[in-house]
Structure formats: C-alpha cells, structure tokens
C-alpha cells in the first residue's frame, strides 16, 4: 500500500513538474524571461517536494499530500467548465453618432489663428486648453520626441505614407457596367475566406446602423461633411499586431507595428472594396486616416469581439492586439450575430492592469459608467494623446500588458477558455497572471533583428 502511494505521489509530482516545465518552455519562446523563471522554479519545487515526501515513507503525510494534489487537479479541471454568475449584460447601443471632429486626430489638424480653429473652439471651449497644451509638444514621429529613433521613425512614416497611397482608392465609382447576380450566403462566405487568405485573422458582417457612422467627418477634405449610413452592410476584419513589437511599447516598435498593420488592414480593405465594385456593387474601404465609420463598434456588432476597459475591441484570441479594417457595401450579404461577452466585461471590471500601467492615467479604474446614455468605459483621450505627443509613438503600454494580449497558443488558450467559461476561474487567472507576468509588466527591448 505504502509503495503504491509513493509511486502515485511521485508520478503526479512528475506530471505537475512536467506541466510547469512545458509552460516555462512556452514562456522562453514567447520571450517572457520573468514567466520563464517562475515556471522553472514552480516545476523544480513540485518535483523535489513530491520526491522528498514520497521518500519520507510516512503513509499519513503521503496520503494527505496526494489528496491535496489530486483535489487541486480536479478543481483546476472543474474550473474550466461553464459557471457564470447571474447578470443582465447586453450590448450597449449608442443613442447618437460620434462626431469625428471631436477625436484627437481631427483636433490635431486645427491650426491656431485659422477660421476653422476659431469656429471649433468657440463651440467647444473645454477642449481648447488641453489641445493647446499638446500642440506645443513635439508630436508623433517628431525628432524632438523622447522615443525618437531616426531609422524606426522613418520606417513607421514609410508605412503611413503607403497607407496614404490608398486614399484615392477608398471611395470610387463602381467599375462594372452590370451587377453580377450573387447569393448572399455564398458571397459572404467567400469574402470572409478571402479576407483571411489576404491576412485577416477574423472577419464578420453586420447591418450598418447610423451609430456606426460618424455624424460629421473631421479630417482633411472630409471635415464638416455630414454622414449617415449610406450602405446596408459593414464588413469588419482584424489583423494581428506582432507581440514582440507591441511588448517593447512605448518604444518606436509600437508605432512601426501600428503603422504596418494599418497598412495591412488598409490593403485588405481596398482589395475587398475593389472586388465588390468589380461585381457591380457599391463599396467603400475605411482605412487609417480615412474613416467614415467607428471601426470598433462595427467590428463588435459583426461578432468580432467586445469593447473593454481601454475602449478597444477585445478579440477572443488576441485581445486588443489587433487593428481593424472595415468595408461598407450594398452587395447582398448575410449578417453575423453580435456576441456580447459578459466574461470580458467581468474580467475588465476586476483586472484594471491597463489602468495601472497607463503612464498618463488615461484609463479609468471605476466600474462602467453611464456615458451619453450607454454603460461603458471611456478613456481620457486628451491625456492619452498628450503623452503620444511627448513620446513620438502611440504608446501602447495598455495593449502590451493586457492579459488577453498573450500569444495565441495552447497554454494561453486553455486559460482563455477558463476565463470565458467560469466566473471563479477568471479571478484565479488574474491572480496567476499577476504572479507569472507581474502586475505592471515592464517594457521589453525592441526585437534584436530591428535594433540599430
Ligand atoms: S488590461 Fe485588464 S482591464 Fe485592461 S482591457 Fe485588458 S483585461 Fe481589461
Ligand atoms: S496608449 Fe498609453 S497613454 Fe494611451 S491609454 Fe494606453 S497606456 Fe494609456
């Protein structure tokens, strides 16, 4: 009997240690040295403790430790099963359209002393002081900013310049003379598959509502143009941002990666829009700097994710570590159901890791609040953008530290499953994330092959 218990304890010890060593290996490949050390220590601790206790030949001690280990394993497995607290969470539907002129990128375009500047700030006096404060700072990709690196900033600028090449292709007339008769189901399936073939990680379709569309354009020649949903459908898709580039945020790699993924999503949007026009139907590509729609809302309603504490789309497998592209169109399509994710809202309510890591305190620590008739979180966009103007990059610390941003692999997907399914697992996973990755993970170095 004693022999059997010793073997069982030693076997479970080896299995548990094996799990931690595998997790350490995964962490090493993810360039997570902090997590690597933690998993190695845990693995060795479990191995030696189970070995020492098994060798003690004390039947009572061995039985107790075995019972504890088995209970922990069973509880761990049970916590992956669905268990949710009662809630009445529904997707928040905005009651009005967002005015693009109020966004920071539109406000950045206003030059002191011009008629448009005077007009805007006489109607929005509360914005003038904070905006004049960021105007005297160096600004994005500026040589005087704190994260300046001539090579990396030139690379990011090159990606943004390539996006601008697409501007004239975003909204053009239908090219085909006749409309090809299409089956909504087939063409929807085709568009999703092709978007993924072109580099998207997910793609969904929603009915376009007025609240998806800016009330007024705010940038360049679109300023003061009034908008309403002129197409019936919105096709939204996401592209992944490279984890290593994001993890070095707020260093220059973050703005390089943002710019590059704006380019990738812009390219896919232009291809999809041209494809649809070639079939004889209207389509508009919405790309960086040239949006008529609020991309996170379109993507959320197309079933691609949920909006979290930092106001970004939280996708199931990459969290906020994505960029979004949208095409609006009148081609017949089949829409996807939005997928309200209480688990994301619940996790964001307890997590607050982004808020703690935000260098400008732009992210709220509070629970969701009623803002313009909708319960949600709202970031302080002035504080966030003012920091960008000092850094010269788009910061991105919040995206980097978010537990949902971990790599899409077996280890993290087991945790994602538990977080999605189980109210208790969520609380446990947050504690584990804090222990393994740190409550405020530090910024990593720019990937070696890009160092200069
Ligand atoms: S860091 Fe935490 S609170 Fe912030 S968005 Fe991610 S999960 Fe939500
Ligand atoms: S980008 Fe930076 S400043 Fe802006 S909310 Fe995220 S962490 Fe805060």
């Amino acid at each position: 009997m004693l022999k059997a218990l010793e073997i069982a304890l030693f076997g479970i010890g080896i299995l548990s240690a094996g799990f931690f060593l595998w997790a350490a290996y995964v962490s090493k490949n993810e360039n997570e040295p902090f997590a690597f050390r933690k998993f190695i220590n845990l693995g060795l601790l479990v191995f030696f403790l189970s070995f020492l206790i098994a060798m003690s030949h004390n039947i009572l001690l061995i039985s107790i430790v075995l019972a504890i280990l088995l209970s922990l394993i069973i509880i761990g497995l049970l916590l992956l099963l669905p268990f949710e607290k009662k809630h009445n969470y529904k997707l928040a539907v905005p009651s009005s359209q967002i005015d693009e002129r109020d966004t920071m990128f539109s406000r950045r375009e206003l030059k002191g002393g011009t008629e448009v500047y005077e007009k805007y700030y006489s109607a929005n006096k509360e914005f003038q002081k904070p905006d004049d404060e960021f105007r005297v700072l160096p600004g994005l990709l500026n040589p005087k900013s704190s994260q300046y690196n001539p090579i990396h900033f030139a690379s990011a600028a090159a990606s943004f310049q390539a996006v601008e090449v697409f501007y004239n292709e975003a909204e053009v007339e239908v090219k085909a003379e006749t409309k090809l008769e299409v089956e909504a189901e087939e063409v929807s399936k085709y568009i999703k598959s092709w978007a993924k073939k072109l580099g998207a990680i997910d793609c969904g379709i929603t009915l376009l509502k007025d609240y998806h569309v800016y009330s007024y354009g705010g940038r360049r020649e679109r300023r003061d143009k009034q908008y309403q949903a002129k197409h019936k459908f919105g096709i939204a898709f996401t592209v992944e941002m490279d984890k290593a580039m994001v993890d070095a945020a707020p260093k220059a790699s973050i703005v390089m990666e943002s710019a590059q993924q704006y380019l990738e999503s812009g390219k896919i949007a232009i291809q999809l829009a041209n494809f649809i026009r070639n079939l004889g139907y209207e389509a508009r590509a919405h790309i960086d700097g040239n949006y008529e729609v609020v991309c996170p809302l379109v993507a959320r309603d197309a079933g691609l994710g949920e909006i979290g504490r930092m106001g970004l789309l939280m996708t199931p497998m990459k969290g906020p570590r994505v960029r979004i592209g949208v095409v609006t169109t009148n081609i017949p399509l089949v829409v996807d159901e939005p997928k309200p994710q209480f688990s994301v809202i619940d996790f964001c309510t307890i997590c607050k890791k982004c808020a703690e890591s935000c260098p400008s305190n732009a992210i709220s620590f509070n629970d969701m609040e009623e803002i313009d008739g909708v319960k949600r979180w709202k970031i302080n966009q002035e504080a966030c953008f003012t920091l960008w103007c000092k850094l010269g990059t788009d910061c991105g610390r919040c995206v980097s530290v978010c537990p949902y941003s971990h790599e899409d692999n077996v280890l993290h997907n087991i945790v994602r499953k538990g977080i999605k399914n189980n109210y208790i697992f969520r609380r446990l996973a947050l504690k584990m994330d804090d222990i393994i990755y740190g409550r405020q993970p530090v910024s990593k170095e720019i990937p070696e092959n890009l160092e200069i």
Side-chain angles (χ1 to χ4, degrees):
M1 174 74 173
L2 176 63
K3 194 84 194 152
L5 288 177
E6 284 173 357
I7 292 172
L9 176 61
F10 195 55
I12 291 180
I14 287 190
L15 276 180
S16 312
F19 170 79
F20 288 124
L21 293 178
W22 167 68
Y25 171 76
V26 172
S27 302
K28 185 158 178 52
N29 286 341
E30 289 176 357
N31 189 26
E32 295 282 0
F34 192 65
F36 172 74
R37 284 195 297 276
K38 293 266 164 153
F39 282 127
I40 287 279
N41 291 342
L42 272 171
L44 293 178
L45 185 72
V46 170
F47 177 79
F48 284 117
L49 274 183
S50 56
F51 179 75
L52 285 177
I53 294 168
M55 289 298 105
S56 71
H57 307 304
N58 181 331
I59 193 159
L60 182 65
L61 179 65
I62 293 173
S63 306
I64 292 173
V65 173
L66 203 51
I68 293 173
L69 276 180
L70 281 172
S71 312
L72 285 177
I73 291 171
I74 292 167
I75 290 170
L77 291 174
L78 285 177
L79 284 179
L80 291 174
L81 299 177
F83 173 72
E84 197 57 88
K85 76 163 184 179
K86 273 209 175 103
H87 63 87
N88 58 0
Y89 176 68
K90 292 195 295 279
L91 281 189
V93 178
S95 52
S96 57
Q97 291 169 271
I98 295 172
D99 188 336
E100 195 192 18
R101 295 173 299 187
D102 293 336
T103 65
M104 299 314 293
F105 281 103
S106 299
R107 283 150 64 181
R108 181 182 69 158
E109 287 180 11
L110 301 175
K111 300 265 177 299
T114 59
E115 199 182 316
V116 63
Y117 176 101
E118 297 302 336
K119 187 176 157 202
Y120 182 77
Y121 289 112
S122 56
N124 300 279
K125 291 194 171 50
E126 72 281 16
F127 294 150
Q128 187 162 9
K129 191 166 171 285
D131 289 7
D132 284 343
E133 277 169 16
F134 79 65
R135 264 187 204 101
V136 297
L137 295 169
L140 281 176
L141 299 184
N142 188 293
K144 294 200 177 98
S145 60
S146 65
Q147 298 299 324
Y148 176 61
N149 174 309
I151 301 291
H152 294 152
F153 275 26
S155 311
S159 300
F160 281 127
Q161 285 152 359
V163 178
E164 286 182 27
V165 172
F166 289 140
Y167 281 179
N168 290 338
E169 282 291 308
E171 190 169 26
V172 289
E173 293 296 309
V174 175
K175 291 166 187 165
E177 282 170 13
T178 54
K179 273 193 174 99
L180 189 80
E181 284 297 314
V182 292
E183 278 291 322
E185 201 168 323
E186 273 177 15
V187 81
S188 305
K189 210 167 138 210
Y190 180 83
I191 284 172
K192 288 180 194 174
S193 304
W194 196 45
K196 287 180 191 170
K197 173 93 183 76
L198 295 175
I201 50 173
D202 205 358
C203 181
I205 298 166
T206 183
L207 277 179
L208 202 64
K209 317 263 176 34
D210 279 343
Y211 70 80
H212 290 138
V213 178
Y214 285 122
S215 54
Y216 287 91
R219 302 194 61 184
R220 303 189 178 94
E221 65 290 342
R222 292 183 301 102
R223 190 172 185 88
D224 296 335
K225 252 176 110 176
Q226 197 171 5
Y227 295 126
Q228 267 174 338
K230 66 181 173 206
H231 292 139
K232 189 169 179 197
F233 300 104
I235 304 164
F237 59 87
T238 45
V239 293
E240 181 178 5
M241 293 178 77
D242 181 83
K243 177 98 172 68
M245 297 291 272
V246 171
D247 279 349
K251 300 184 187 81
S253 62
I254 185 69
V255 69
M256 284 171 71
E257 187 60 14
S258 297
Q260 186 57 32
Q261 295 316 322
Y262 280 130
L263 175 58
E264 298 301 328
S265 56
K267 188 188 78 180
I268 297 170
I270 294 290
Q271 282 177 281
L272 290 180
N274 273 336
F275 160 72
I276 293 168
R277 291 179 201 127
N278 291 342
L279 300 181
Y281 298 87
E282 284 173 25
R284 191 206 197 273
H286 301 265
I287 61 179
D288 179 52
N290 194 344
Y291 299 110
E292 284 179 15
V293 295
V294 186
C295 290
L297 284 177
V298 181
R300 181 200 69 168
D301 291 355
L304 299 190
E306 183 56 86
I307 311 278
R309 182 178 287 276
M310 56 175 106
L312 300 179
L313 182 79
M314 307 282 283
T315 62
M317 307 311 280
K318 322 273 177 192
R321 197 167 47 80
V322 296
R323 293 287 140 174
I324 308 167
V326 168
V327 173
T328 52
T329 179
N330 280 336
I331 195 169
L333 294 172
V334 175
V335 296
D336 294 290
E337 283 302 310
K339 299 182 188 110
Q341 293 284 327
F342 173 71
S343 60
V344 173
I345 301 300
D346 186 38
F347 194 79
C348 276
T349 303
I350 55 169
C351 169
K352 306 178 184 177
K353 220 162 169 162
C354 52
E356 276 185 29
S357 294
C358 173
S360 69
N361 298 318
I363 302 176
S364 165
F365 283 88
N366 299 333
D367 287 351
M368 285 201 288
E369 290 165 289
E370 185 118 345
I371 300 164
D372 303 330
V374 168
K375 251 189 134 189
R376 64 182 174 107
W377 284 287
K378 186 179 181 196
I379 77 155
N380 180 337
Q381 59 167 345
E382 288 81 10
C384 174
F385 191 75
T386 301
L387 182 77
W388 292 13
C389 293
K390 293 176 191 164
L391 297 169
T393 74
D394 52 346
C395 176
R397 279 314 299 151
C398 47
V399 177
S400 170
V401 303
C402 178
Y404 280 95
S405 287
H406 287 305
E407 291 284 10
D408 176 2
N409 59 30
V410 180
L411 177 67
H412 296 302
N413 290 345
I414 294 171
V415 181
R416 283 188 176 98
K417 180 105 187 139
I419 287 179
K420 182 160 183 262
N421 278 352
N422 196 297
Y423 178 80
I424 300 169
F425 187 96
R426 244 167 256 151
R427 276 125 189 101
L428 204 68
L430 178 59
K431 285 277 168 272
M432 287 305 290
D433 199 89
D434 288 351
I435 293 169
I436 303 288
Y437 298 96
R439 183 66 194 153
Q440 285 180 282
V442 292
S443 166
K444 299 207 174 76
E445 291 308 315
I446 289 179
E448 245 173 57
N449 55 347
L450 291 175
E451 263 174 16
I452 194 146

